[in-house]
Amino acid sequence: MKRTVFLATLMMFFLIGSWAWAQDTIKIGVVGPRTGPAAATGKAFEEGIAIALDHINARGGVLGKKVEVIFEDTGGVPEKAASAFEKLATRDKVPIVVGESHSSSALAEIEVANRYKVPLIICEAWHDDITKKNYRWVFRAGPVNSGVVDFYIAPFVKDNGFKKVAIVRENSDWGVGIAERTETNMKNLGIPFVTLKVERESKDFYTELTKIKGENPDIVLAYIYGTGLHFFVSQANEVGLSPKSLILDGAGPPSLWDTFWKNVGKAGEMELFMSSMHEKVHLTPTSRKFWEDYKKKFGKDPTDYKTRSIYNVVLIAVDAIARAKSTENEALVNALEKTSLEVTTGVVKFGLKQGTYEYHQWMPPMLVVQWQDQKQVVVYPKEAAMGALMKGK
Amino acid sequence: MSELLMYLTNGIVIGVINAISAIGVSLIVGIMKVVNFAHGELYIFAGYFSYHLSVSLGVPPLLAMPLSIFLIFLIGIGMERTLIRPTYGDEMYSLIITFVLSIVLQNAALLIFGPYPQKPPNWVTGAMNIFGLYHYGNQRILSFFISIGVLLSIFYLIKRTWFGKSIRAISQDREMAALVGVDHLKVNMLAFGLGAALAGAAGVVLSPIFPVTPSGSSSVSLNAFIVVVLGGMGSLKGCVVGGLILGILENLGAAYISTMYRHIFGFIILILVLVFRPWGLFGQKTQ
């Protein structure tokens, strides 16, 4: 009898043990703003992560373990971002971190990543220096300021024959970087421009808009992120600047938030924005799968393209762990450098040539989209265009 | 020339709006010696209430506005009874409590209402061409007149009614007022509620122009404090003049010096006032 009890107990321990073993997970760190002026990005990230984890864990996870995410809030503040990354690296000991959408926060995080030698894949912080610093541990699978301007915004301005450009930029690392690159491009193209610097926290843009109106530009390149963009677009219409002068939202997501039309009213008509996602543009089968999974889980179409960007980088991280067959940092970096993975926006291959921002960088194709009758119409680049650009009178 | 007029108009409109937001802070400071750091959050909550009452529940906007202000008034009274009353006599405690409360409410707003900017429906749309010189948003013009209405009624309430008289009595000498029969606890409670309601009034009037977000509250509080310090703690007239000075200076500064430093002008005034006239333009110099 005693023996039976002993064996039964042993069996139970074994079962519990193996169950606990199966519960062992691989943790991926995520950094991004869940509070502060861009808390909406945090929401988009949460949705993207949820879909990615469903997808990965349904396939059995990676290295025989389930994948879990620890999402640390940066509040969009560099100091908080650095300590969030430090927490992930030291307390949670995650093998890899992905995410971020603020350049200033990312620039703080890459220093910590470099110090602790923890691989980091940035998805939506666009500043050139993030990859230009050529840190071995830092990768970016997302847009970069120079790429967005050189390949999309500047050619778009040139091809549409705009004669005068107004650049409005917020005082953030992203705003300064993208505006400077635009200025260089406009100089090279010989297109006259004016630049206006605004505060990131501004609500009232009447003064700024009146100044721009005095310049009479054909297009206003608005490098303003978050709620500020809604204020800017609706007030531009009130002071009579738009639609005579078109407005291009250089970031994109704020023009796609559910509240955009409620907040800007008819001023949103003919507004342009940058995006890497469109309902009708599916570059890969993964893109279609993402769209269907999102609809199934949330009961609506995805709007903020950052949902898809974070989804991509989680897939890239898991793919690297699978190929490295380990969570050791050197092995992960080596695996990441050999990445050739189909995600929603194409096949990711990181650049390996050192010396420029293209090192450890992969940029998805972008689109210039215009709101026409409250519908998203891709107007640039030409090969993806679904309709002609509408110009105001 | 038309541009200068535009900057001035906008300065005056934003100035009056600054004033109603600041007058609530000033009232509470003047009477209770309590600095309410959660002022901006009350403003934001009023905006959200007005949005959800009119959009989610279908209450007509004109009814949703006073209803939201009333809700904020009740919240203000609740705050006074539970959090502020036990701190009377120690200004530091109330400072810390309202500061903590502002953080709690900000995060609560994020949790309850989400991160996206929300805006109650406009009462009017479009813009007006003013004297053929420049365009100005109709909603702003309407908000300007409503704000003036709110200011006038507050002045009437404080200067001409019995309630106002007891408020003024308490702010001058609490013990003396209590001796002659003013129920200072009740007046405190109502005054705090009124101060909160004024934050709410600013919130409902402004949210159709500037949609509210959870993080938008800090700039509201900060602006209100600048105006109060500039005008003089506890002075209602000071709030109006301070608000106008701030509004006009910010607009002219942004127009002719730099748009990048719009908000620095406010801080420059704040520092100058603190150095040369710490009691503000209309405040009383204390010994």
Side-chain angles (χ1 to χ4, degrees), chain A residues 47-346:
Chain A
E47 293 178 349
I49 292 166
I51 297 176
L53 289 185
D54 284 355
H55 171 60
I56 293 160
N57 289 329
R59 286 188 323 198
V62 67
L63 305 183
K65 296 177 186 177
K66 290 232 179 267
V67 178
E68 201 182 289
V69 155
I70 304 175
F71 189 172
E72 281 290 333
D73 176 31
T74 65
V77 184
E79 304 86 82
K80 266 182 93 177
S83 70
F85 196 100
E86 197 149 347
K87 246 192 252 169
L88 289 170
T90 55
R91 185 196 62 189
D92 303 313
K93 298 202 167 39
V94 296
I96 189 164
V97 179
V98 301
E100 198 49 73
S101 71
H102 281 296
S103 288
S104 17
S105 299
L107 287 168
E109 284 152 8
I110 59 170
E111 299 301 331
V112 190
N114 206 36
R115 184 150 26 97
Y116 287 100
K117 301 190 169 48
V118 175
L120 165 65
I121 315 172
I122 298 280
C123 64
E124 282 292 344
W126 296 11
H127 200 285
D128 284 17
D129 284 357
I130 293 164
T131 43
K132 205 176 175 180
K133 288 200 171 175
N134 281 196
Y135 288 156
R136 180 167 155 64
W137 311 97
V138 178
F139 293 77
R140 172 167 46 200
V144 49
N145 275 344
S146 288
V148 174
V149 175
D150 296 1
F151 302 126
Y152 298 96
I153 295 180
F156 168 75
V157 169
K158 178 177 157 263
D159 292 355
N160 281 292
F162 294 121
K163 298 277 180 299
K164 176 138 197 199
V165 174
I167 301 166
V168 183
R169 66 125 172 110
E170 61 171 34
N171 54 345
S172 68
D173 282 308
W174 165 70
V176 174
I178 195 164
E180 279 172 1
R181 191 74 184 192
T182 311
E183 287 172 347
T184 315
N185 269 278
M186 292 303 124
K187 266 181 217 152
N188 293 342
L189 292 170
I191 300 172
F193 65 91
V194 282
T195 305
L196 213 64
K197 300 159 188 170
V198 297
E199 281 192 1
R200 196 171 153 193
E201 306 280 325
S202 276
K203 285 200 278 199
D204 180 27
F205 290 105
Y206 262 45
T207 308
E208 289 83 346
L209 289 160
T210 307
K211 282 180 100 167
I212 299 172
K213 200 181 162 197
E215 300 285 345
N216 199 17
D218 297 316
I219 187 159
V220 182
L221 304 175
Y223 300 132
I224 303 169
Y225 197 83
T227 323
L229 185 95
H230 291 195
F231 300 143
F232 189 83
V233 171
S234 63
Q235 293 170 21
N237 185 258
E238 285 169 13
V239 303
L241 172 69
S242 70
K244 188 164 173 276
S245 307
L246 289 172
I247 297 174
L248 171 74
D249 165 9
S255 300
L256 290 160
W257 289 345
D258 295 344
T259 54
F260 177 76
W261 282 99
K262 257 186 265 162
N263 287 346
V264 304
K266 68 176 175 53
E269 187 57 20
M270 281 193 248
E271 191 239 14
L272 295 142
F273 57 90
M274 297 304 301
S275 180
S276 62
M277 178 167 91
H278 188 280
E279 191 185 2
K280 296 213 170 67
V281 182
H282 293 286
L283 298 172
T284 65
T286 314
S287 165
R288 229 172 260 286
K289 178 171 169 35
F290 166 83
W291 204 276
E292 282 155 16
D293 288 354
Y294 186 97
K295 273 180 91 165
K296 216 183 285 166
K297 195 164 178 91
F298 300 105
K300 55 172 187 173
D301 282 329
T303 46
D304 194 329
Y305 66 76
K306 291 188 178 182
T307 310
R308 220 170 61 159
S309 314
I310 192 84
Y311 175 87
N312 288 344
V313 285
V314 173
L315 294 194
I316 297 168
V318 169
D319 168 68
I321 296 172
R323 281 184 296 108
K325 295 193 180 60
S326 133
T327 50
E328 192 253 331
N329 58 355
E330 286 285 350
L332 282 177
V333 168
N334 289 334
L336 280 170
E337 288 188 336
K338 293 189 192 81
T339 300
S340 173
L341 177 73
E342 182 206 289
V343 293
T344 60
T345 39

